[in-house]
Structures are given as structure tokens and as C-alpha cells.
């Protein structure tokens, strides 16, 4: 055995001596001098001396890390760093003595230092710094939680008595044109001010955060399938790459890479990809396929890791098995074979799979395309917390992302909204009694984070504080900040090419934890932090309320919401109005009474100002002076003196069977008779048929005062001469008066009617007819009330028959008040009981009438009156006999 060790020493020493024969030609003569000079950054081999301690942690595989470890060991006088094999820091209890226990050799993968060596000077290219598009400074981070939500003390809504200020009119008092109309329509309203429902105070505990089915399902970090490519990283987060027919960790180059080599850009380094291929009939294990070659990763029966060309399924075949891999939602790789758990781990440049379990799952998966944090910001929910500087840094996975800051829509982060969508407009606010640091990503994953070779210079503290924010920051945005800070930390930690594996591992860890934060793992922590820090409240309207059904709604209890006046569900009484969160009157208020100071006679212009007159106009008392109805003769143009171009105040029409002026003609005349003459209406009905002809004469709006009796009189005269020429007048004609125009010549239509007054060949003398006694009251058919007066449409049905032609004059129509009426029965007699006729459909009116006799609006034919000189034949009148009534 001693001979073997000596032979090995001789072989190693021979390599070292041959490699440095010239450089060390004087070492034998000056060994004592050289021993006093530190040996620094020297490749070679050490003989006779064995390490007193070693560490294979990636953090110690640097000069700074191994040197720090040496300083912590009292006996350490020198150390070495092994690069190519994946990292090993060795500590020695003696200094380096060239040609005695240390021989230089460029073939060595270990670099030696005495403990007092300065930091090495590394020749070769620098690593590409992570500076993004122009800056290495992230967005401003929060320095603490936001201000806590504060609420004003709740005051229970009540009805408080108050008086409105006096009303100030804008001008002089406006007086009514018609006092009668004013007093008949004058009204004012007043009613008590009340609360119809008390309500409750707005919530100070807010709306709980979204949970359960209110949240969308987030994808796992890695899912099986060809499209879900991922890198495999070992316990030190070093990417696993292919070896000769095997898989092992990425090794540190022993020589400086050429400038521009992709390995010098750790953040964008493209590690080999893998994917999980489902196994038919088995959902618990998958094949792990090396994506660049399509080969399957297999475990041999002695634990080696090899690549094979086909799947073996879950059973050994030829001493190899492939269908043993699985990855959970957090990217942790598990291996199960034959019902037992296995661990895939690395040692230096090699890897193996051995039976056992580990809580740290030594192998992990990092998606080749991580969850699209920045794309989510662009496509779904823009947030303000990542300023232009941070967006410019977003150089993840080889993609330059340049986004512009947008309007902040924090609650619109669809992956983890801070507040529920219903009611809309909720905002997150810091609650009193909050608890910080409940969503610390690194603390929650301490078993994973603890094995990390990197601390990331407070990135976890920033992430936790970001999750604690109730305003201005979102789940997606905080994760982006977290990832960016970790990458910046990696960039500041390493810059030499001989630290490139550490830099790549650092970036891989940052990508892994950034991706993990975007899954349910991160969201669970986000809501844990939010639940301890925040509650959601309404923003516009500002008050958060709760229905009796348990549903939330937003209201403005200090505004004009009649259903939430001063409190949630507080309702003002009928006709009341909410103003500034208090129930009040729509206009004015005196005490607890709602009114209008402009027209209230008990509070006219100001509270408690009463009007003796009981009337108030524009805030001032008013004493009306109503008009009385003055009884007088009320038939206008009663002698038909005004006839051009029309007969003023009179309307003429013909009943069916006659046409004006062919069959019936009305014209003005100067009627001559024995002893004098008068103006009159000349009536001609020609070519009388067997049934005779009928016409209607009407004057609208003839005034009659209520409570008075009137007598109607008029004059008729027989005509046998027109303009000096004799005419035939052989028909008997009659006139019947009514208080409204009947639809037929022989009907009353509920109007009051007189008897028939007759004139003809047997009654030729000119004389006064009547009187017809009549009185009306409000509500009678045909009676219209205007102010205190009553109005009727005085109508006369004129009929001629029993002859060929009827000609006579009508004049001096008077309707005179004669005393007070007994409206119950005043000797007026009952209306005539006449046979009903069909309603006429073609009555022709001489002048435009608002209401036709038959209730329709026929086309009217205007009359152009013709003046005719007429005369009568005088006959004796039998004394004591009224021969003017029909049947006399």
C-alpha cells in the first residue's frame, strides 16, 4: 500500500515538476525564502497534506466564500477551490510550500490560496450585467404599510326640528289676474317630517377578501406535456445538462470563455430543456424526456443516471427504468420505483438516484417560459407600482420587455384581486390592528430557501412588505418586483467569468422562486398577508353597507340618497328629501313640518307668519276680491244689426234634408210694418217637402247668473213682400228655444226647452212672443261655469211646413233676469216629450261652431248675409186670445 501511495505521489509530482521545471529551477536552493512568500491563485496539486474540512456548497465555491470559511476555522492557513467538478472548498492547516507539498500544474482543476492572499485578479471577460434597458435601479418600494382606514363617529339619524330662513322674493308680489279663479284653485300642502326606517351604521370592518370559487384557478409551475418545457436544477440550483450518455450539473469552465459566449450572460442563459411524457395507464409517474435529444432519463439498477432511446415503463428492463418521475405543483421532483421513494442528487460532476426521502426535493423544475408576470400586466391588469424604470429592467428569459406605466387598476388583477367584484368599486384599505410579515415567501418556504446558496440581499423582505400593501400594489406586481430584485442581486454578486456557474445558479433560483410566487403557493401567502392587513371598502359611493340578506352594497350616507340617509337603510318619510345625510323637507321646514314658505298662509314668507286672509302669494299675504255675477240681458246682437261680413255671435245650420242657401237662407233685413220698421233676421225656407224643413239658430256663451230666473222674449213678423215685390208665404213656421243645441229638430237631449211659438198665414201680425221662463244651475246639461257666472248655448229650432214656402223675420231676442229662481220647480214645466229621431249626419253650419249638433265636426259653409227689404200684411188680432201658440 505504501508503495502504491509513493508511486501515485511520484506520478503527480512528476507531472507537476515537468510542468514547472523551468519556473521552479531554483526552488530547491531557495525553499526557505519561498516558504515565506504567500502562494496565491495557483493551479496545482498538494502532497502530504490533507484537508481539515471541506464544503461542497455552491456559495463556498468562490474565493470570497471559501476565504470566509477559512477565516472561521482557527487552524486554517490555506485553502483551495475546485471548479470544474461542481464546486469543493478545502481547508488546510498549513501554508503552501512549493516543491515540498505543493506543485504547480495547469492541468489541475483546483486553485490554491494562502489564507492571507488578496482577492484574485481574474483575467478574461466579465459577465453580462443585468441592467435591463437602461437602469439597474428598481421601482421605489414601500417603506411600510399604508395609513389605516379611519371612520367618523356614527350619529344615529333623527328628526331634528328646525326653521328655514325667511323667503326672500326676487321681485314685487305677483297678483292673480282672476281672483275668482285664484280662490277656487288655491291650495297649499304641509306634512310632518318623519323617518320611515331607522337603518344602521356603515360597516367599519369592510368586505372580506375573495375566497374559494371567487378566485380563478392558477396553473402549476410545471405541468406534464410536450409543450410544458422546463429546466432541471439541482440542490444548488445549478442546471442539469447532458454528459456522455448521462445527466449532470453544469460545470465551471477552467479557461476564460471567448467574449460573447452565451454562458457569460447568466440571466439569459438557456439551460437544456426537459418535459414530462405521460405513461399509458399510469397517472402517478411520467417519463422525463431530455428535450434537446428526445432521449429518456433512466435509472440503472445500481443508481446511475443514463439516457436511453425508449421508455421502459415503470418496470426495470435491461437494468434500466424510465417511468419513475413526477413533479408537484411547486416544481419539486419526486421519484418512485417499486413502491419506494428515491432521491436524485449530484456529487461534483456526476449525479445518481438512490433510495431515500428528502423534504427539500433536491431536483426542481424551472419553466423555460415562466408564468407571464409582465405579460399579465400588459394584457390584463395594468398596475402603477412598476414604474417605467422597473418595466425597462424586465429582461427575463431573453426577452426585452418595455411597457409604459398605465392607470392603476390594483383590484383588477384577475389572478388575485384584492377585493370582491360585487359590489363594484371596492378598494383595499389598511385596517386597524394589522399584522405585518404574514405573507413572507422566504419564511414560508424556509426548508427550500434555507438550502439556497444565495440570500438575494433583502429581496424576501421587500416581497413580504409588498404583500402587506393595501393600496397601490398588486399580487402580480409584487411578484414582478420580487423577481427583478433577485436578478439585480445576482448581477451585483458575480461579475467574473470563473463565477459564471454561481451566477447562472443564482438567476435560476430567482426564476424558480418568481415562477413559484405566481402559483397558488404565492397567492396563498398573498391572501394570508392581505387578510391580516386589509379590508375592502366602498370608494364611490364611499360607505359600505349590508343588506338584510347578507349581501354588501355601497351607498353615500352623507349625500342625497333617500334610501340611505345618514345610515345604511335609513329611509326618510313620505315626501321628505335627504340632504347631506339628513332627512329634510323638499323645500322649507318649520319645526318638524314640511311646507313652502311661498304659499303657506300659516307660515307666509317666514315660519309662524299667519295671513288673516288665509291666502299667501310669493311669500306675502294676499286679500282677494272675488267678482260677482251681475244679472242682465245677455243676448248679444239680439236685433241682428251687426251682420257683415257675418252675423256676429250667431251660428246657423240646417238639419238633414235641406241645404243652405238653396233650401234655407238667412239674411239681414230692414223689416217694415205698420207704424215703423226694425232690423231683423230674414228666414226663408223654400220648396218645402212634405216633411218640411228645419234649421238651428245658436248663440254661444249666453250668461246666466246662478240663483236667478230669466224670461226669454222675441219678435216674429210675417213676410209677404221683399224689396217691394210680393212673395208667396203660405207655410206655417214655428220657433222652439233650448239651453243647448239639440241633435235633432224634435229632440231635447236633456236641455231645457220652451214650447213652440208659431207664425204663418193665420198669424201674420208682427208682435212679441214669450216669455219663456228658465233658470239653470251648475251641473245642468249644457251649462258651463266661468268664474261665478253660468253660460249656455242659447239655441232655437226653426221649422216650416204645411205649405210651399215659409218667410218671416226674427228680432229683438232678449233674456232678462226677473227674480230669484226656485230651482226645485218654478213652474217651468217638464221638457217636451217628443218622438226621438235619428241623429243627423249632414247638418250644415252657416258659421264655424266648436261642437256640431250631432256631436261631429262637419265642414261648415259660410254665409254671406244679404240685406233685403221686407214687409208684412197687417191683420186684426182677436182681443183676449193668444193665437201665437200652437193649437190656439
Amino acid at each position: 500500500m505504501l508503495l502504491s501511495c509513493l508511486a501515485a505521489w511520484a506520478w503527480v509530482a512528476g507531472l507537476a515538476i515537468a510542468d514547472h521545471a523551468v519556473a521552479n529551477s531554483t526552488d530547491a536552493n531557495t525553499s526557505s525564502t519561498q516558504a515565506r512568500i504567500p502562494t496565491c491563485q495557483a493551479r496545482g496539486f498538494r502532497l502530504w497534506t490533507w484537508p481539515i474540512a471541506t464544503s461542497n456548497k455552491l456559495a463556498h465555491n468562490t474565493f470570497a466564500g471559501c476565504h470566509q470559511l477559512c477565516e472561521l476555522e482557527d487552524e486554517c492557513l490555506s485553502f483551495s477551490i475546485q471548479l470544474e467538478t461542481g464546486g469543493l472548498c478545502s481547508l488546510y492547516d498549513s501554508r503552501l510550500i512549493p516543491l515540498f507539498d505543493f506543485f504547480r500544474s495547469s492541468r489541475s482543476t483546483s486553485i490554491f490560496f494562502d489564507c492571507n492572499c488578496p482577492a484574485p485578479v481574474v483575467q478574461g471577460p466579465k459577465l453580462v450585467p443585468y441592467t435591463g434597458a437602461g437602469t439597474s435601479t428598481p421601482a421605489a418600494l414601500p417603506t411600510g404599510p399604508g395609513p389605516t382606514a379611519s371612520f367618523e363617529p356614527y350619529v344615529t339619524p333623527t328628526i331634528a326640528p328646525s326653521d328655514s330662513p325667511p323667503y326672500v322674493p326676487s321681485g314685487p308680489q305677483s297678483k292673480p289676474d282672476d281672483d275668482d279663479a285664484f280662490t277656487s284653485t288655491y291650495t297649499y300642502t304641509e306634512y310632518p317630517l318623519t323617518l320611515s326606517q331607522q337603518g344602521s351604521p356603515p360597516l367599519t370592518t369592510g368586505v372580506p377578501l375573495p375566497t374559494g370559487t371567487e378566485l380563478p384557478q392558477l396553473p402549476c409551475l410545471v405541468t406534464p406535456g410536450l409543450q410544458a418545457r422546463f429546466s432541471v436544477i439541482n440542490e444548488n440550483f445549478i442546471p442539469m445538462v447532458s454528459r456522455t450518455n448521462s445527466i449532470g450539473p453544469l460545470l465551471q469552465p477552467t479557461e476564460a470563455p471567448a467574449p460573447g459566449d452565451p454562458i457569460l450572460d447568466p440571466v439569459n442563459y438557456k439551460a437544456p430543456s426537459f418535459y414530462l411524457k405521460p405513461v399509458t395507464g399510469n397517472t402517478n409517474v411520467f417519463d422525463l424526456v431530455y428535450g434537446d435529444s428526445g432521449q429518456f432519463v433512466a435509472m440503472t439498477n445500481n443508481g446511475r443516471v443514463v439516457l436511453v432511446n425508449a421508455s421502459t415503463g415503470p418496470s426495470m428492463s435491461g437494468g434500466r427504468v424510465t417511468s419513475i418521475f413526477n413533479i408537484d405543483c411547486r416544481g419539486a421532483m419526486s421519484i418512485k420505483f417499486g413502491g419506494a421513494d428515491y432521491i436524485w442528487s449530484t456529487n461534483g460532476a456526476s449525479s445518481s438516484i438512490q433510495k431515500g426521502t428528502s423534504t427539500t426535493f433536491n431536483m426542481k423544475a424551472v419553466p423555460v417560459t415562466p408564468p407571464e408576470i409582465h405579460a399579465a400586466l400588459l394584457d390584463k391588469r395594468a398596475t402603477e407600482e412598476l414604474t417605467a424604470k422597473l418595466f425597462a429592467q424586465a429582461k427575463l428569459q431573453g426577452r426585452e420587455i418595455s411597457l409604459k406605466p398605465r392607470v392603476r387598476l390594483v383590484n383588477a388583477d384577475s389572478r388575485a384581486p384584492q377585493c370582491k367584484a360585487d359590489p363594484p368599486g371596492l378598494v383595499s384599505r389598511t385596517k386597524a390592528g394589522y399584522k405585518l410579515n404574514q405573507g413572507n415567501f422566504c419564511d414560508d418556504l424556509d426548508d427550500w430557501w434555507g438550502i439556497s446558496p444565495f440570500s438575494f440581499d433583502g429581496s424576501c423582505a421587500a416581497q413580504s412588505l409588498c404583500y402587506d400593501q393595501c393600496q397601490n400594489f398588486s399580487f402580480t406586481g409584487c411578484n414582478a418586483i420580487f423577481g427583478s430584485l433577485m436578478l439585480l442581486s445576482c448581477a451585483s454578486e458575480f461579475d467574473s467569468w470563473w463565477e459564471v456557474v454561481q451566477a447562472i445558479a443564482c438567476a435560476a433560483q430567482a426564476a424558480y422562486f418568481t415562477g413559484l410566487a405566481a402559483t397558488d403557493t404565492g397567492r396563498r401567502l398573498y391572501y394570508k398577508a392581505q387578510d391580516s392587513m386589509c379590508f375592502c371598502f366602498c370608494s364611490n359611493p364611499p360607505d359600505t353597507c349590508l343588506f338584510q340578506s347578507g349581501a354588501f352594497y355601497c351607498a353615500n350616507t352623507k349625500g342625497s340618497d333617500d334610501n340611505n340617509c345618514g345610515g345604511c337603510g335609513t329611509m326618510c318619510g313620505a315626501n321628505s328629501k335627504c340632504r347631506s345625510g339628513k332627512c329634510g323637507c323638499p323645500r322649507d321646514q318649520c319645526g318638524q313640518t314640511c311646507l313652502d314658505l311661498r304659499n303657506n298662509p300659516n307660515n307666509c314668507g317666514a315660519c309662524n307668519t299667519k295671513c288673516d286672509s288665509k291666502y299667501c302669494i310669493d311669500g306675502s299675504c294676499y286679500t282677494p276680491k272675488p267678482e260677482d255675477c251681475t244679472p242682465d240681458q245677455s243676448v248679444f246682437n239680439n236685433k241682428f244689426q251687426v251682420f257683415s261680413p257675418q252675423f256676429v255671435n250667431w251660428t246657423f245650420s240646417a238639419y238633414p234634408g235641406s241645404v243652405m242657401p238653396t233650401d234655407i237662407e238667412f239674411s239681414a233685413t230692414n223689416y217694415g210694418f205698420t207704424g215703423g220698421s226694425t232690423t231683423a233676421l230674414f228666414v226663408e225656407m223654400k220648396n218645402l217637402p212634405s216633411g218640411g224643413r228645419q234649421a238651428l239658430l245658436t248663440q254661444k256663451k249666453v250668461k246666466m247668473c246662478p240663483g236667478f230666473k230669466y224670461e226669454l222674449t222675441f219678435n216674429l213678423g210675417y213676410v209677404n213682400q221683399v224689396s217691394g215685390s210680393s212673395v208667396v208665404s203660405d207655410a206655417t213656421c214655428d220657433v222652439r228655444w233650448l239651453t243647448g243645441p239639440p241633435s235633432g229638430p224634435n229632440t231635447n237631449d236633456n236641455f231645457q226647452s220652451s214650447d213652440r211659438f208659431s207664425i204663418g198665414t193665420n198669424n201674420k201680425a208682427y208682435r212679441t212672443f214669450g216669455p219663456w221662463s228658465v233658470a239653470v244651475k251648475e251641473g245642468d246639461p249644457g251649462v258651463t261655469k266661468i268664474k261665478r257666472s253660468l253660460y249656455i248655448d242659447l239655441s232655437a229650432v226653426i221649422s216650416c211646413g204645411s205649405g210651399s214656402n215659409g218667410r218671416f223675420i226674427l228680432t229683438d231676442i232678449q233674456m232678462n233676469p226677473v227674480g230669484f229662481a226656485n230651482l226645485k220647480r218654478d213652474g217651468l214645466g217638464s221638457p217636451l216629450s217628443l218622438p226621438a229621431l235619428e241623429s243627423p249626419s249632414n247638418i250644415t253650419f252657416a258659421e264655424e261652431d266648436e261642437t256640431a249638433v250631432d256631436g261631429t265636426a262637419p265642414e261648415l259653409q259660410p254665409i254671406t248675409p244679404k240685406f233685403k227689404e221686407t214687409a208684412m200684411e197687417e191683420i186684426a188680432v182677436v182681443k183676449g186670445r193668444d193665437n201665437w201658440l200652437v193649437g190656439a
Side-chain angles (χ1 to χ4, degrees):
M1 180 67 181
L2 179 59
L3 293 175
S4 299
C5 292
L6 290 174
W9 174 86
W11 179 80
V12 171
L15 288 177
I17 293 171
D19 199 28
H20 297 280
V22 177
N24 296 315
S25 60
T26 61
D27 280 352
N29 299 324
T30 60
S31 60
S32 61
T33 302
Q34 290 182 348
R36 292 192 299 270
I37 300 175
T39 301
C40 301
Q41 196 176 338
R43 290 181 183 272
F45 300 94
R46 193 156 195 184
L47 305 175
W48 317 118
T49 303
W50 309 106
I52 61 174
T54 60
S55 173
N56 62 357
K57 288 188 175 181
L58 190 63
H60 297 152
N61 193 27
T62 64
F63 171 82
C66 198
H67 184 270
Q68 182 181 24
L69 198 63
C70 181
E71 288 183 332
L72 295 175
E73 177 61 51
D74 292 337
E75 298 179 4
C76 179
L77 296 176
S78 62
F79 57 90
S80 66
I81 303 169
Q82 190 181 56
L83 300 178
E84 185 184 25
T85 57
L88 184 67
C89 171
S90 299
L91 307 182
Y92 301 90
D93 60 0
S94 62
R95 294 183 182 278
L96 299 169
I97 305 176
L99 293 181
F100 177 71
D101 68 346
F102 175 70
F103 293 87
R104 295 177 183 271
S105 175
S106 60
R107 303 181 187 183
S108 173
T109 60
S110 295
I111 303 176
F112 289 82
F113 300 85
D114 277 323
C115 64
N116 57 347
C117 288
V121 178
V122 180
Q123 302 296 326
K126 297 288 186 179
L127 300 182
V128 176
Y130 173 57
T131 58
T135 180
S136 59
T137 303
L141 296 176
T143 57
T148 57
S150 60
F151 303 90
E152 296 179 2
Y154 178 69
V155 179
T156 303
T158 58
I159 296 300
S162 66
D163 287 348
S164 296
Y167 168 73
V168 178
S170 58
Q173 184 184 34
S174 59
K175 297 182 180 180
D177 295 331
D178 187 335
D179 280 344
D180 284 324
F182 167 72
T183 56
S184 64
T185 59
Y186 177 77
T187 58
Y188 64 92
T189 58
E190 59 181 40
Y191 48 87
L193 179 62
T194 60
L195 280 177
S196 63
Q197 188 166 318
Q198 186 64 54
S200 58
L203 299 178
T204 59
T205 55
V207 179
L209 275 62
T211 57
T213 57
E214 298 173 304
L215 300 175
Q217 184 175 357
L218 296 183
C220 291
L221 189 63
V222 172
T223 55
L226 176 62
Q227 302 302 320
R229 297 293 186 105
F230 55 88
S231 301
V232 176
I233 54 178
N234 71 356
E235 63 274 19
N236 282 321
F237 293 88
I238 298 175
M240 300 293 285
V241 299
S242 64
R243 291 279 185 267
T244 302
N245 197 35
S246 182
I247 299 293
L250 176 69
L251 299 180
Q252 171 69 36
T254 58
E255 301 293 337
D261 192 315
I263 200 172
L264 295 174
D265 189 1
V267 171
N268 297 309
Y269 173 72
K270 300 293 185 182
S273 66
F274 297 78
Y275 65 89
L276 292 176
K277 185 175 182 180
V279 177
T280 303
N282 197 324
T283 59
N284 295 321
V285 291
F286 299 85
D287 285 322
L288 181 62
V289 181
Y290 188 66
D292 293 343
S293 67
Q295 293 178 294
F296 294 78
V297 179
M299 177 186 72
T300 67
N301 52 12
N302 61 359
R304 292 178 57 241
V305 180
V306 298
L307 292 174
V308 297
N309 293 324
S311 172
T312 67
S315 302
M316 280 282 183
S317 176
R320 295 173 173 83
V321 62
T322 62
S323 304
I324 58 175
F325 299 95
N326 203 346
I327 296 177
D328 68 12
C329 202
R330 301 197 298 182
M333 184 174 291
S334 62
I335 300 174
K336 191 174 287 291
F337 173 64
D341 293 323
Y342 284 74
I343 301 172
W344 183 9
S345 61
T346 60
N347 183 13
S350 64
S351 66
S352 64
I353 300 176
Q354 301 295 333
K355 184 178 292 187
T357 59
S358 173
T359 58
T360 56
F361 297 102
N362 287 339
M363 295 294 166
K364 305 175 184 64
V366 179
V368 171
T369 304
E372 293 293 337
I373 295 175
H374 293 81
L377 288 173
L378 175 64
D379 298 331
K380 293 176 184 265
R381 308 294 180 240
T383 53
E384 193 179 48
E385 67 271 32
L386 292 183
T387 62
K389 292 182 179 180
L390 185 58
F391 279 121
Q393 297 171 30
K395 190 179 180 183
L396 294 173
Q397 296 299 316
R399 294 182 298 111
E400 287 285 342
I401 296 184
S402 179
L403 304 180
K404 295 180 179 179
R406 295 191 175 187
V407 177
R408 182 187 57 189
L409 296 172
V410 175
N411 192 44
D413 190 337
S414 64
R415 298 189 176 195
Q418 286 183 302
C419 299
K420 296 182 178 182
D422 188 26
L426 294 177
V427 294
S428 180
R429 299 172 63 188
T430 306
K431 64 183 180 182
Y434 59 80
K435 294 181 180 180
L436 288 169
N437 207 37
Q438 299 299 301
N440 191 302
F441 196 87
C442 304
D443 286 351
D444 188 78
L445 298 179
D446 184 61
D447 54 340
W448 291 25
W449 199 266
I451 65 169
S452 166
F454 314 106
S455 63
F456 295 112
D457 297 333
S459 299
C460 285
Q463 167 272 323
S464 179
L465 184 57
C466 193
Y467 275 14
D468 285 341
Q469 302 305 302
C470 302
Q471 296 93 11
N472 303 331
F473 289 79
S474 71
F475 171 65
T476 302
C478 288
N479 292 340
I481 289 176
F482 182 36
S484 294
L485 287 176
M486 286 191 290
L487 288 176
L488 287 171
S489 177
C490 293
S492 64
E493 184 76 18
F494 308 103
D495 64 351
S496 173
W497 65 266
W498 74 320
E499 298 173 315
V500 67
V501 171
Q502 289 92 332
I504 289 175
C506 186
Q509 182 181 353
Y512 172 73
F513 282 114
T514 301
L516 190 60
T519 67
D520 276 323
T521 297
R523 188 168 68 178
R524 173 180 57 82
L525 293 174
Y526 179 71
Y527 280 117
K528 183 180 179 183
Q530 290 283 297
D531 191 56
S532 65
M533 294 293 299
C534 315
F535 262 121
C536 291
F537 297 92
C538 294
S539 60
N540 188 20
D543 301 309
T544 307
C545 297
L546 185 67
F547 284 117
Q548 291 182 351
S549 62
F552 296 93
Y553 69 98
C554 297
N556 183 3
T557 62
K558 296 178 177 58
S560 57
D561 188 344
D562 291 332
N563 296 317
N564 299 278
C565 191
C568 295
T570 301
M571 300 179 66
C572 301
N575 299 318
S576 301
K577 184 65 180 174
C578 183
R579 289 191 177 91
S580 300
K582 295 182 180 180
C583 289
C585 297
R587 182 173 175 86
D588 300 316
Q589 179 177 344
C590 291
Q592 295 186 19
T593 301
C594 293
L595 45 82
D596 188 342
L597 293 175
R598 296 174 302 176
N599 61 17
N600 189 285
N602 300 315
N603 301 272
C604 187
C607 293
N608 301 317
T609 299
K610 294 185 178 181
C611 296
D612 294 337
S613 63
K614 306 300 183 182
Y615 296 101
C616 177
I617 297 179
D618 199 24
S620 298
C621 294
Y622 177 74
T623 302
K625 298 178 180 178
E627 295 182 2
D628 293 328
C629 181
T630 303
D632 51 18
Q633 196 290 113
S634 54
V635 180
F636 294 93
N637 197 19
N638 59 342
K639 293 185 178 181
F640 301 96
Q641 293 171 312
V642 184
F643 57 86
S644 178
Q646 301 282 337
F647 283 103
V648 175
N649 291 94
W650 292 102
T651 298
F652 308 90
S653 57
Y655 282 103
S658 300
V659 178
M660 297 192 322
T662 304
D663 301 323
I664 300 176
E665 184 176 3
F666 296 93
S667 59
T669 183
N670 189 13
Y671 180 67
F673 55 93
T674 303
S677 65
T678 185
T679 57
L681 173 67
F682 180 33
V683 181
E684 294 184 87
M685 294 190 177
K686 298 170 269 188
N687 304 315
L688 296 174
S690 59
R693 299 192 186 281
Q694 298 85 27
L696 181 66
L697 172 67
T698 301
Q699 181 171 131
K700 289 190 172 185
K701 295 184 179 179
V702 174
K703 186 179 77 171
M704 299 178 68
C705 291
F708 281 84
K709 179 173 66 176
Y710 288 79
E711 288 185 348
L712 183 141
T713 60
F714 60 98
N715 291 341
L716 290 178
Y718 186 79
V719 173
N720 57 12
Q721 241 182 52
V722 177
S723 299
S725 301
S726 298
V727 293
V728 175
S729 295
D730 58 355
T732 299
C733 301
D734 61 70
V735 177
R736 180 167 64 96
W737 295 94
L738 299 95
T739 57
S743 58
N746 296 314
T747 63
N748 290 347
D749 296 346
N750 294 320
F751 299 122
Q752 295 186 46
S753 174
S754 70
D755 292 330
R756 296 175 186 265
F757 298 95
S758 175
I759 188 171
T761 54
N762 296 325
N763 314 324
K764 296 181 179 181
Y766 172 87
R767 64 159 294 174
T768 299
F769 288 73
W772 172 44
S773 296
V774 61
V776 296
K777 65 181 183 298
E778 184 178 359
D780 284 353
V783 175
T784 301
K785 183 178 181 182
I786 300 177
K787 298 182 181 179
R788 296 194 176 187
S789 300
L790 304 179
Y791 293 87
I792 64 170
D793 291 345
L794 181 63
S795 302
V797 176
I798 302 173
S799 303
C800 289
S802 303
S804 60
N805 296 285
R807 293 181 172 91
F808 62 94
I809 62 99
L810 174 63
T811 190
D812 199 15
I813 306 169
Q814 295 189 38
M815 196 167 188
N816 293 297
V818 294
F820 294 102
N822 180 2
L823 295 179
K824 292 182 180 180
R825 182 61 60 192
D826 196 33
L828 302 179
S830 301
L832 294 176
S833 177
L834 300 174
L837 301 180
E838 292 184 3
S839 298
S841 59
N842 60 346
I843 296 177
T844 303
F845 287 83
E847 293 184 2
E848 185 174 355
D849 194 356
E850 293 182 3
T851 304
V853 174
D854 62 352
T856 63
E859 185 178 352
L860 305 180
Q861 297 180 2
I863 292 177
T864 302
K866 298 177 181 179
F867 184 81
K868 298 181 180 180
E869 293 284 349
T870 57
M872 64 167 287
E873 179 182 347
E874 186 178 3
I875 61 172
V877 178
V878 178
K879 187 176 181 179
R881 178 182 178 187
D882 186 357
N883 58 342
W884 307 110
L885 293 178
V886 175

